[in-house]
Amino acid sequence: MSKRAEWWLPVLAKIWPLTWKSARATRWPVIGKLVELFALPFMSETNFNVTHIPINKKINGIENVYLPEQIIEKLINQSSYRVAIKKCTCRDEKTCKNFPIDFGCLQLGSGSREIDQRIADHLSKEEALRHMKKCINAGLTPMIGRVKIDNLIWGVKDKGKLLAICFCCHCCCTVFNSGKFLPEAVTERIVRLKGLSILVDHEKCIKCGTCIQSCFVKNIAFFNEKIYINHDNCKGCGQCVASCPQKALTAKIDNVDEALEELNLRIKERITID
């Protein structure tokens, strides 16, 4: 088992600004290239590949299915081991006032067995499912995938057996707050769930621009006096849907089974969790 004492979580929160500051630094002349040289190996195709699961309960094309729960429940049931980190580092660093700091990420797979019990709760499948549901019910957006730097952070030997399920808030999440600064090579590895698209009801839309502000990759804009979403670059996080005060945006998915199959395939190409 790794050795990470209780003091590791507050120390991690103190140094966490380096994550989003380094993302912004990639845009600086000269220094940006140096930051990329250090950081990009952690964000390569095999080391970083994540997908957000939108949490709005009504998703067109699905009947009586709450998409995040269905996807994560399947992964939890497949996992050989699982833990919940005792604090969300993003929310801890920013002293979040909107969401619970102790709703930390899940780590699945045999690698999670190595994580020190002083910084993570080791869970049964039933306990992990309850943790997932309380995070989603609180309004947090799941982000699922391979995040190699977690092995370093949590003290796990990298054997491709650690899957991260983060529960992200729009106010504190490093990815949500840094996405627009990340190099294109990195943002390409934030992959939209297959068949997912965002629809705009222009009759309901009052052109307030809230969705434009909520998009972490700046992919929404006014075009011909209407809201336009570039679906080629959309990451499918659903923050625009959740933030719209008029409920003018909805998420649509073509085929749940195909989406699950494609996500599982990407996970299996990088990680073994059973």
Side-chain angles (χ1 to χ4, degrees), residues 4-5 47 59 79 105 108-109 115 135 156 173 214 230 241 261 274:
R4 294 285 190 275
N47 292 334
I59 299 180
S79 65
C105 64
L108 307 185
I115 300 177
C135 290
V156 177
C173 172
S214 72
N230 181 351
V241 177
E261 182 180 352
D274 51 19

Coordinates of all heavy atoms in Angstrom, one line a residue, residues 4-5 47 59 79 105 108-109 115 135 156 173 214 230 241 261 274:
R4 N 0.5 7.7 2.1 CA 0.0 9.1 2.0 C -0.7 9.4 3.3 O -1.9 9.0 3.5 CB -0.9 9.3 0.8 CG -0.3 9.1 -0.6 CD 0.6 10.2 -0.9 NE 1.0 10.2 -2.3 CZ 2.1 9.5 -2.7 NH1 2.8 8.8 -1.9 NH2 2.5 9.6 -4.0
A5 N -0.1 10.2 4.2 CA -0.7 10.5 5.5 C -1.8 11.5 5.3 O -2.0 12.1 4.2 CB 0.4 11.0 6.4
N47 N -2.3 8.1 -21.9 CA -2.2 8.5 -20.5 C -3.4 9.4 -20.0 O -3.6 9.6 -18.8 CB -0.9 9.2 -20.2 CG 0.3 8.2 -20.3 OD1 0.1 7.0 -20.1 ND2 1.5 8.8 -20.6
I59 N -33.0 12.9 -21.0 CA -32.2 12.9 -22.1 C -33.0 12.3 -23.3 O -33.4 11.2 -23.2 CB -30.9 12.1 -21.9 CG1 -30.1 12.7 -20.8 CG2 -30.0 12.1 -23.2 CD1 -28.8 12.1 -20.4
S79 N -15.7 -3.6 -11.4 CA -14.4 -3.3 -10.7 C -14.1 -4.4 -9.7 O -15.0 -4.8 -9.0 CB -14.5 -1.9 -10.1 OG -15.4 -1.9 -9.0
C105 N -13.5 11.9 -5.6 CA -13.6 11.1 -6.8 C -13.5 9.6 -6.4 O -13.0 9.2 -5.3 CB -12.4 11.4 -7.8 SG -10.8 11.1 -7.1
L108 N -11.3 3.2 -9.4 CA -11.7 1.8 -9.6 C -10.5 1.0 -10.1 O -9.7 1.5 -10.8 CB -12.9 1.7 -10.5 CG -14.1 2.5 -10.3 CD1 -15.2 2.2 -11.3 CD2 -14.7 2.4 -8.8
G109 N -10.6 -0.3 -9.8 CA -9.6 -1.2 -10.3 C -8.6 -1.7 -9.2 O -8.6 -1.1 -8.1
I115 N -4.1 2.5 -2.5 CA -4.2 3.9 -2.0 C -4.4 3.9 -0.5 O -5.2 3.1 0.1 CB -5.4 4.6 -2.7 CG1 -5.2 4.7 -4.2 CG2 -5.6 6.0 -2.1 CD1 -6.3 5.3 -5.0
C135 N -23.3 12.0 -5.1 CA -22.6 13.0 -5.9 C -23.4 13.5 -7.0 O -23.5 14.8 -7.3 CB -21.3 12.5 -6.4 SG -20.0 12.1 -5.1
V156 N 0.1 5.2 -6.6 CA -0.2 3.9 -7.1 C 0.8 3.6 -8.3 O 0.9 4.4 -9.2 CB -1.6 3.8 -7.7 CG1 -1.9 2.5 -8.3 CG2 -2.6 4.1 -6.5
C173 N -13.7 22.8 -10.8 CA -13.1 21.8 -11.6 C -11.9 22.4 -12.4 O -12.1 23.3 -13.2 CB -14.1 21.1 -12.5 SG -13.3 19.9 -13.6
S214 N -20.9 29.2 -19.9 CA -20.7 27.9 -19.2 C -19.8 27.0 -19.9 O -19.3 26.0 -19.4 CB -22.1 27.3 -18.9 OG -22.6 26.8 -20.2
N230 N -21.1 24.3 -32.0 CA -20.3 23.6 -32.9 C -20.1 22.2 -32.4 O -19.3 21.9 -31.5 CB -18.9 24.3 -33.0 CG -18.0 23.6 -34.0 OD1 -18.3 22.5 -34.5 ND2 -16.9 24.2 -34.3
V241 N -26.5 22.8 -20.7 CA -27.9 22.3 -20.4 C -28.3 22.7 -19.0 O -29.4 23.2 -18.7 CB -28.1 20.8 -20.7 CG1 -29.5 20.3 -20.4 CG2 -27.7 20.5 -22.2
E261 N -20.9 0.9 -25.1 CA -19.9 0.0 -25.8 C -18.6 0.7 -26.2 O -17.5 0.3 -25.9 CB -20.5 -0.7 -27.0 CG -19.6 -1.7 -27.7 CD -20.3 -2.4 -28.9 OE1 -21.5 -2.2 -29.1 OE2 -19.5 -3.1 -29.6
D274 N -11.2 -4.9 -13.8 CA -11.8 -6.1 -13.2 C -10.7 -7.0 -12.7 O -9.5 -6.7 -12.7 CB -12.7 -6.9 -14.2 CG -12.0 -7.1 -15.6 OD1 -10.8 -7.0 -15.6 OD2 -12.7 -7.4 -16.5

